[in-house]
């Protein structure tokens, strides 16, 4: 599926019954109205046909926390490419004993995790590679081998270096106790360092990728665009503006216009509204 999926193509996003609640009690002091709980929601494509995209197989189980970027990227890919799946929301704040066996047995106890028959795969890029290889013939990665490899390279970079800068060094230390350093000065230094890294990466995207191209790998949208955009979306928690990087700003707007974007990011959107509401009364 290498053509751009946009809302303008007339497709109707599939909805999920409980998309309005971010499942992460670590953020409860910012979004206290959201009840943390685990639940499952089965999601099937309306175009299911036996033997197409592996539909003769059982649905893939996706274990996720919906405000985490990698989880959203994997879920988005499944919806885009009609991969039947079951969502299992995870609440780590309930304690290890309450986690599903597949999460407790995974050495890193991190999501996303997928279970597909005998296969258990964790980490966003690895899961996407598995899904692309098993179900989609690498749809969404680009037409040529060169573009596919560039897409995979950008996804790998985004999952590690970009997410480290944006998430773990800049955004999360300001919101989530789990990632906040105990020493206030050290935490402030970490945040300042993360902001500098974010600016560097935005400049890189602006000048090296998007100055002459519509998308990160060329003129067609790929999984690389989705993955990078999902991570950059975390900066909205602080109301960060991208006007200094106009190519990035316009590109992000195009990526957000894909079918299923609003479905997958609804928890993120509700969380933002709660932050904005609290800011008005602080």
């Amino acid at each position: 599926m290498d053509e751009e999926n946009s809302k303008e193509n007339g497709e109707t996003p599939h909805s999920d019954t409980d998309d309005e609640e971010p499942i992460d009690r670590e953020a409860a002091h910012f979004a206290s109205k959201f009840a943390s709980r685990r639940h499952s929601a089965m999601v099937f494509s309306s175009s299911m046909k036996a033997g197409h995209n592996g539909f003769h197989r059982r649905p893939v189980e996706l274990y996720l926390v919906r405000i985490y970027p990698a989880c959203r990227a994997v879920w988005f890919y499944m919806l885009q490419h009609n991969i039947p799946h079951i969502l299992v929301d995870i609440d780590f704040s309930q304690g290890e004993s309450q986690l599903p066996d597949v999460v407790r047995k995974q050495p890193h106890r991190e999501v996303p995790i997928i279970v597909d028959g005998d296969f258990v795969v964790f980490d966003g890029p690895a899961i996407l590679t598995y899904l692309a290889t098993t179900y989609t013939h690498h749809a969404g990665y680009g037409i040529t081998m060169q573009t596919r490899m560039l897409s995979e390279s950008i996804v790998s970079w985004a999952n590690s270096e970009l997410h480290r800068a944006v998430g773990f060094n800049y955004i999360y230390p300001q919101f989530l106790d789990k990632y906040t350093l105990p020493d206030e000065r050290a935490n402030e230094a970490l945040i300042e360092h993360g902001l500098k890294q974010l600016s560097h990466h935005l400049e890189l995207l602006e000048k090296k990728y998007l100055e002459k191209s519509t998308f990160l790998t060329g003129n067609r949208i790929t999984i690389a665009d989705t993955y990078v955009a999902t991570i950059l979306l975390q900066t909205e928690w602080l109301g960060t503006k991208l006007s200094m990087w106009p190519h990035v700003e316009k590109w992000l707007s195009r990526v957000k216009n894909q079918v299923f974007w609003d479905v997958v990011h609804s928890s993120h959107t509700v969380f933002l509204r709660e932050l904005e509401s609290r800011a008005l009364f602080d």
Side-chain angles (χ1 to χ4, degrees), residues 100-115:
D101 286 345
V102 67
V103 179
R104 285 192 290 107
K105 292 178 180 178
Q106 198 266 341
H108 305 286
R109 291 181 176 81
E110 296 177 353
V111 291
I113 300 173
I114 65 165
V115 178

Side-chain angles (χ1 to χ4, degrees), residues 4-247:
E4 178 180 356
N5 280 322
S6 70
K7 293 177 184 174
E8 299 170 345
N9 64 11
E11 294 182 53
T12 301
H14 292 204
S15 63
D16 193 74
T17 54
D18 292 301
D19 293 323
E20 297 301 317
E21 298 180 6
I23 313 300
D24 188 352
R25 199 171 289 177
E26 291 173 331
H29 58 296
F30 290 96
S32 58
K33 73 177 182 180
F34 300 132
S36 294
R37 57 193 176 90
R38 292 198 313 276
H39 65 279
S40 299
M42 189 168 292
V43 181
F44 288 99
S45 164
S46 61
S47 61
M48 283 175 56
K49 295 180 181 179
H52 176 65
N53 272 10
F55 286 145
H56 59 285
R57 304 159 69 109
R58 296 180 59 185
V60 178
E61 297 174 12
L62 170 59
Y63 296 80
L64 78 167
V65 174
R66 299 191 191 201
I67 64 170
Y68 287 6
C71 295
R72 296 200 302 267
V74 170
W75 182 20
F76 186 82
Y77 189 81
M78 287 177 157
L79 286 173
Q80 265 193 324
H81 299 287
N82 299 317
I83 300 173
H85 55 279
I86 297 172
L87 300 181
V88 184
D89 290 282
I90 302 301
D91 181 2
F92 286 101
S93 71
Q94 293 295 316
E96 183 176 329
S97 63
Q98 300 301 311
L99 296 175
D101 286 345
V102 67
V103 179
R104 285 192 290 107
K105 292 178 180 178
Q106 198 266 341
H108 305 286
R109 291 181 176 81
E110 296 177 353
V111 291
I113 300 173
I114 65 165
V115 178
D116 187 17
D118 294 331
F119 288 94
V120 178
V121 189
F122 69 92
D123 199 41
I127 292 173
L128 289 168
T129 297
Y130 173 82
L131 295 174
T133 302
T134 307
Y135 287 94
T136 73
H137 302 290
H138 289 92
Y141 277 76
I143 295 176
T144 67
M145 179 62 73
Q146 184 176 10
T147 305
R148 290 176 185 174
M149 292 301 98
L150 178 57
S151 294
E152 289 206 19
S153 296
I154 293 174
V155 167
S156 179
W157 165 78
N159 189 65
S160 55
E161 189 170 349
L162 182 64
H163 192 207
R164 184 184 307 115
V166 175
F168 298 105
N169 294 351
Y170 181 50
I171 300 296
Y172 303 156
Q174 301 185 63
F175 284 84
L176 307 177
D177 291 341
K178 179 179 179 180
Y179 302 104
T180 301
L181 298 179
D183 183 85
E184 185 175 349
R185 289 185 179 180
N187 198 60
E188 290 177 356
L190 176 64
I191 293 168
E192 183 179 353
H193 178 60
L195 179 58
K196 290 180 179 178
Q197 289 179 310
L198 171 60
S199 298
H200 168 73
H201 293 318
L202 288 171
E203 195 71 17
L204 178 72
L205 293 170
E206 179 80 8
K207 298 292 180 63
K208 301 298 183 180
Y209 285 94
L210 296 170
E211 193 169 59
K212 297 180 180 179
S213 297
T214 307
F215 297 104
L216 296 179
T217 63
N219 293 322
R220 294 172 182 264
I221 196 166
T222 67
I223 185 61
D225 298 284
T226 296
Y227 212 101
V228 172
T230 301
I231 291 172
L232 288 180
L233 216 62
Q234 303 301 89
T235 62
E236 294 181 354
W237 292 13
L238 290 172
T240 304
K241 304 298 182 183
L242 302 179
S243 54
M244 290 179 59
W245 301 274
H247 294 304

